[in-house]
Every structure is written in structure tokens, then in C-alpha cells.
Amino acid sequence: MNGKGKPLIRVKNLRKEYPAGEDTVIALKDISFEIMPGEICCIFGTSGSGKSTLLNQLAGLESPTSGEVLIGNIPISKLSENDLAVFRQKYLGFIFQSYNLMQTMTALENTALPLVFKGIDKKTREQSAKSILEIVGLSNRLNHYPNQMSGGQQQRVGIARAFITKPKIVFADEPTGNLDTKTTIEVMEMIKNFAEKYNQTIILVTHEPELAEYATRVITLADGEIISDTRKEQVHKYEQ
């Protein structure tokens, strides 16, 4: 999908406008940047900065007003809904603040769900789900439903689900917003370790400065514009 040393994601003059009565809200103002393979890139900003809109653009969840997003050489902003769905299943993973687990499915079934869409047989997908749930420390929760697990345990299932297909890119949207400090550290360490192990690219969207510390690069937005773009040589854990 992508040659070594070449950008994995390219954002070109991306602009997003929303109608607001007789006015127009400009959520993104013609921004451009590139993300390299293997980066843990934090999209950082306060509420209203445009970071959630940018996440939606990068993941192909919304169409831009103008400009484009390319992943590899594929202009995802120009794909049809059907082609986008296939693209996401093949290359992308998602971790959500609210976990987004299926309440009628066990931890094992939730984790294995992305493999269902890939046509993997039940035995193989359950073996894969068991293996990754063991890695995230939930080998004793395989048959528990979301309402039988803590928030931290549910997010571990969410992480396992996002990484089970070894996607090229994982989008993490405020992944620790509902968690305490100790669990936040555990969750962020898991995300970072998976990314490093499989050389995956992480797009982390947050307003928490502590989470940005886990990134190798921080792109800060304000009023729909990039106000800083910093790469870090070393990632530090934050103190409790």
C-alpha cells in the first residue's frame, strides 16, 4: 500500500464548511500536512478547534468541501460509500471514547467482529480473539458482556478489536476520556506497544496534554488551522 520512506497519509488544502442558518462555519481552513508510516500522531486541540472534523476527514467519514485526503495513493475523499466501507475494513481500525461495543456480544465476540467482515471462519477468528485478549489482560473475561465489565476492561476489548486485523492505521478518538488516571496509563501503553510491535500508524485525537505525551508527533489545531506541528525524539510517560 505504501513504500518505505513515503508519506502514508497526505492532506492537501483540506477545507470543511458547515451551513449554520444564514452563516457558514469553517471547521477546517485549507490545511495541508503529511503523516509518515509508524508515527503516533496526536491531533491536539480544545473543543471547537476542528480536531474531530479532521479525524472524520482522515477516516473518510465526511467529505471535504474542497481539498483531499490520500492514504497511500488512494484519494479516500473521492471514494464511494461502498468502496470506503471496503477500504476501512481492509486498512483502518478505530478506538472510541465510549467503547462502542455490541451490548449483546461477549468480549470474545466483540473482538472477533472485524474478522467476520473479512470472511474468516469462526474457529480461526475465535483463536485470534483469544490470543489478543490475553495480550490485553482479559483472558478471564472472554465470555463477559460489556455490562459485566469495568470501563477499563471495555476499552481493552475496544483496543483488541481495533488491532486484531493488524490495520495500517488506527484512529483513537479520545480513547481514555471515560477512564481514571491509572487505567489511562495502562490503555495508552497498550496502544503504543501494539503500534511499535506491528509498525502501525496511530492517529490520536485528544484535548488532554497528558495523552499527547505518548505521541511521536503533535499537530495542534485552533480555529480550524494548524498552529504548531512538532515531532519528538523520545516519548515520556506522564506521572500520576
Side-chain angles (χ1 to χ4, degrees):
M1 180 185 179
N2 192 73
K4 189 175 180 180
K6 296 181 180 179
L8 178 59
I9 301 173
R10 288 177 289 165
V11 176
K12 298 182 176 181
N13 301 315
L14 193 65
R15 186 178 186 88
K16 183 62 178 179
E17 300 177 356
Y18 297 101
E22 296 181 358
D23 298 322
T24 299
V25 174
I26 304 174
L28 296 173
K29 301 176 181 177
D30 305 298
I31 63 175
S32 299
F33 62 93
E34 297 176 341
I35 296 175
M36 301 301 291
E39 283 194 304
I40 301 177
C41 182
C42 175
I43 308 297
F44 181 79
T46 59
S47 177
S49 62
K51 63 184 186 299
S52 295
T53 301
L54 179 55
L55 169 67
N56 290 341
Q57 296 291 319
L58 295 176
L61 300 174
E62 291 183 3
S63 298
T65 302
S66 59
E68 64 179 347
V69 175
L70 294 99
I71 297 181
N73 292 317
I74 300 171
I76 65 162
S77 43
K78 297 178 181 177
L79 295 181
S80 68
E81 283 300 319
N82 286 341
D83 288 342
L84 266 172
V86 172
F87 181 86
R88 291 191 201 103
Q89 289 171 15
K90 191 171 183 180
Y91 295 114
L92 308 183
F94 294 88
I95 303 170
F96 305 95
Q97 177 178 347
S98 55
Y99 321 132
N100 282 26
L101 302 180
M102 301 294 289
Q103 296 299 310
T104 57
M105 290 184 172
T106 63
L108 186 69
E109 291 167 338
N110 266 290
T111 301
L113 190 57
L115 300 180
V116 174
F117 299 118
K118 285 182 170 286
I120 306 297
D121 67 90
K122 184 176 180 181
K123 183 179 179 180
T124 302
R125 65 180 185 253
E126 286 189 351
Q127 287 176 339
S128 297
K130 285 179 182 177
S131 296
I132 197 165
L133 284 169
E134 184 174 344
I135 292 172
V136 300
L138 290 179
S139 56
N140 61 339
R141 293 286 189 273
L142 301 181
N143 296 314
H144 284 63
Y145 292 91
N147 64 4
Q148 297 173 317
M149 294 184 285
S150 68
Q153 289 168 342
Q154 290 184 66
Q155 193 58 296
R156 288 170 185 243
V157 176
I159 290 169
R161 179 185 58 189
F163 283 97
I164 193 169
T165 61
K166 298 183 176 63
K168 292 281 187 182
I169 304 166
V170 173
F171 293 94
D173 187 8
E174 300 282 6
T176 63
N178 294 330
L179 306 177
D180 60 40
T181 301
K182 179 178 181 294
T183 310
T184 290
I185 293 171
E186 294 172 352
V187 163
M188 289 307 302
E189 286 293 325
M190 285 178 194
I191 292 172
K192 184 164 72 74
N193 290 340
F194 272 120
E196 291 173 352
K197 182 177 181 179
Y198 299 118
N199 193 34
Q200 290 161 306
T201 303
I202 306 293
I203 309 298
L204 169 66
V205 176
T206 187
H207 67 281
E208 300 279 357
E210 297 87 357
L211 263 62
E213 290 297 313
Y214 284 88
T216 56
R217 180 181 177 190
V218 179
I219 297 175
T220 303
L221 296 183
D223 298 322
E225 297 181 289
I226 296 174
I227 59 171
S228 70
D229 185 350
T230 306
R231 282 186 170 88
K232 299 187 288 184
E233 291 297 322
Q234 192 170 6
V235 180
H236 301 282
K237 297 178 186 178
Y238 72 91
E239 299 298 325
Q240 294 191 44

